Structure formats: C-alpha cells, structure tokens
Amino acid sequence: MENEIEKYKKPTGDQKEIHDKYIDSRNIIKVYTVEELKTISKVDLYFLMDLDNYRNKEIPPNVLNHVSKIKKRQYHPDVSKGPREAFLLVEKARDILGDKRLRSIYDSSYFQVKFPEDRIYQQEEFFEVFGKIFREYGRFSVAQPVPEISKSVEEFYNFFNNYKTNRIYIPIDEFYELGKEERLDYTRNNQDRLSKLKNQDILQLREIIKIARKRDPRIKSIAEQIEDMRLEQQNQWDSTEEATLKKFCVLLGKTKKNKWEIITEKLTSTTKIKRTVKEVMKKAEELKLKK
C-alpha cells in the first residue's frame, strides 16, 4: 500500500514546477462555482480528491485518508483564501467515497448527460457527441461489455434498444443529509418517486436513440438529412401563418362550396407558402378552427 501513497507525495527539484501547474489546473475553486460546490452531484469527487484512477475500483482506506488530509490542507480557507464550501466538500467526499452504498448512490447521481441537439453532424462530431452520451449510459448497463458507437451500427442500436439499467435513482445530496435510520427507510418511503425518476431516464434515453438514428451519418447521408430538415421546416407553421389561417377561417367560415380549397388558395396567395388542402384542414383542426 505504500506504493499507492507514494504517488501523492510532492515532487522536488525540476518536477516541482510541473507538479504545481498540474495541481493548479485541478483546483476545484477555479473549476466550479460556489453554488456548484454546495451540490455534491454537480462535482466530480474523484477529480476533487485526485482519485481519477479509482473510478472503477476500490479505494484503499489508507490512500483515501492520506489524500483527504492533503486536500483538507489545500482547501482550508486560511490557506486557499477560497470559499469554505470547497473545504467542507473534501470531508463529504471522504465520507462518500469511503462508504460502499454512498459511493454507489453518488456514482449514479453524478450523471453527465447533456441532451443532444437534433441537427446534422459530421461523422467525427457525431461519434464524439453521442459516444460520450452512450458511454455515460453504458456505465450503468446491466449487460456488459457495452459496444462502442463507432462499431457495428445494428449491434450498437440493438444493444441500447434493449438497455436495462442498474443505476440508483436516489439523489445523493438529499440522501447524504439524512440520519442513519432515515437512510434505512428511504427507498421504501420513496418508491413511487424513484420509479418515476427511472422512467423519465429511460424515456430520455429512447429520445436520444431516436435522434442518434436520425442523425447517424452511416444510416443517412448528409444530403438526405438536409432534405429531411427542409421538409420539416416546410411543415412547420409560424405564428404569422397561423394568424392568417385564423383570419380566413373567420372570413370564409360560412362558405358552403369548396370552402377549404378557397381558404387554402387565399392562404397560399397571402403567405407565399405552398400548402395542400389536407395540410390546411389538419392545421385548422389543431387550432380548433374547423367547423
């Protein structure tokens, strides 16, 4: 275990300057806002404690204790001149990373998925954006290993279409503040709420899969995607066009013969946007203008 601790000792000589720059780049006071430091789930505790190499393995107690002492000293307000929240977070990090259940809940709470834009991506960008998202979901997949997005298209999408998660949906910030007895009863007392969070997560994943398949350059060429976007935009109605339709529906509402053909013709003439009678009737129905 001594070798594990060795790497946390400060270097001397020529290596000191390099080490100091590295430490400065990982200073959480510079990386996170004070508000973020107040929220456990918004901070990468492994990054905070310089324990990145232990994300997927057990942290030896003596290593955790040793690093905690270093970090407490580093972020003590009298030393860092920074917010007290950073100092307090070190203690929370030690508690969480040193407790199997708390650590599992934290790992599930620190879920870094940003919902992707529904737009055209070049292949390299597509792999980068969606690869990061699916790797994050992959961390909690019951089935392992998780295929990379850059591999077989069908294998990848089949895997995530059948995705089952072992993620824990207990919010770490809330759970950490509870007493021992309250923690024991938490899951039982919050079953409906936790089930809802899980369902929301699965629904979000399905939406992401839908966008990924739609924008995957290997499935549809860029030209095909551009055409899809053109058709989507064409099918969208802006507020001006809707207002114009409402106006003609009021003015021509009592017309008995070819009413919708006339409304469509007037609408197209005014807005310069070509619409079919069927499209106009459908939109009128959506706006509750159809009588």
Side-chain angles (χ1 to χ4, degrees), residues 9-206:
K9 290 185 177 179
K10 273 193 173 184
T12 56
D14 295 339
Q15 294 298 315
K16 186 178 183 303
E17 185 179 350
I18 297 172
H19 174 269
D20 290 345
K21 285 182 179 178
Y22 172 75
I23 292 299
D24 188 59
S25 71
R26 295 176 64 88
N27 188 331
I28 62 164
I29 295 171
K30 296 181 179 180
V31 176
Y32 296 101
T33 65
V34 174
E35 285 305 309
E36 286 172 331
L37 292 173
K38 292 178 182 177
T39 309
I40 300 169
S41 59
K42 290 187 180 296
V43 179
D44 184 346
L45 298 186
Y46 297 96
F47 177 87
L48 160 66
M49 304 294 276
D50 283 331
L51 292 170
D52 307 65
N53 292 335
Y54 290 96
R55 288 184 190 277
N56 300 310
K57 61 183 180 180
E58 186 179 345
I59 305 171
N62 63 330
V63 170
L64 183 58
N65 290 334
H66 180 74
V67 173
S68 297
K69 289 176 184 177
I70 293 173
K71 292 299 174 180
K72 278 184 178 179
R73 186 163 57 249
Q74 179 184 351
Y75 291 114
H76 193 286
D78 292 341
V79 176
S80 68
K81 307 301 179 186
R84 183 172 175 77
E85 284 76 9
F87 175 74
L88 295 174
L89 192 58
V90 172
E91 185 64 26
K92 293 177 183 178
R94 189 190 68 78
D95 290 344
I96 291 167
L97 298 181
D99 182 285
K100 189 174 181 180
R101 189 182 185 203
L102 285 176
R103 184 178 174 184
S104 294
I105 294 170
Y106 165 75
D107 286 343
S108 290
S109 295
Y110 186 69
F111 188 63
Q112 302 297 293
V113 166
K114 183 181 178 183
F115 197 83
E117 294 179 73
D118 184 3
R119 61 174 176 82
I120 293 172
Y121 295 85
Q122 295 293 338
Q123 185 161 298
E124 188 176 333
E125 183 190 17
F126 176 83
F127 286 156
E128 181 181 347
V129 172
F130 286 89
K132 184 177 180 181
I133 292 170
F134 285 111
R135 276 193 295 275
E136 190 71 357
Y137 273 102
R139 288 202 294 132
F140 303 102
S141 173
V142 172
Q144 294 288 339
V146 179
E148 278 291 327
I149 194 170
S150 57
K151 304 300 180 183
S152 167
V153 174
E154 286 310 310
E155 179 190 353
F156 176 80
Y157 288 111
N158 284 340
F159 180 91
F160 278 99
N161 281 330
N162 295 290
Y163 176 84
K164 287 184 174 57
T165 182
N166 56 23
R167 186 179 168 201
I168 302 169
Y169 291 88
I170 298 173
I172 185 62
D173 295 277
E174 181 181 328
F175 191 78
Y176 181 80
E177 298 300 328
L178 299 177
K180 188 176 180 180
E181 293 301 318
E182 292 174 303
R183 287 180 181 179
L184 290 173
D185 296 330
Y186 186 90
T187 301
R188 183 173 67 250
N189 294 338
N190 293 275
Q191 280 184 348
D192 290 344
R193 181 182 165 207
L194 297 178
S195 178
K196 186 177 180 181
L197 289 172
K198 181 177 181 178
N199 290 336
Q200 288 173 345
D201 188 38
I202 295 300
L203 286 174
Q204 175 175 273
L205 175 60
R206 287 175 183 167

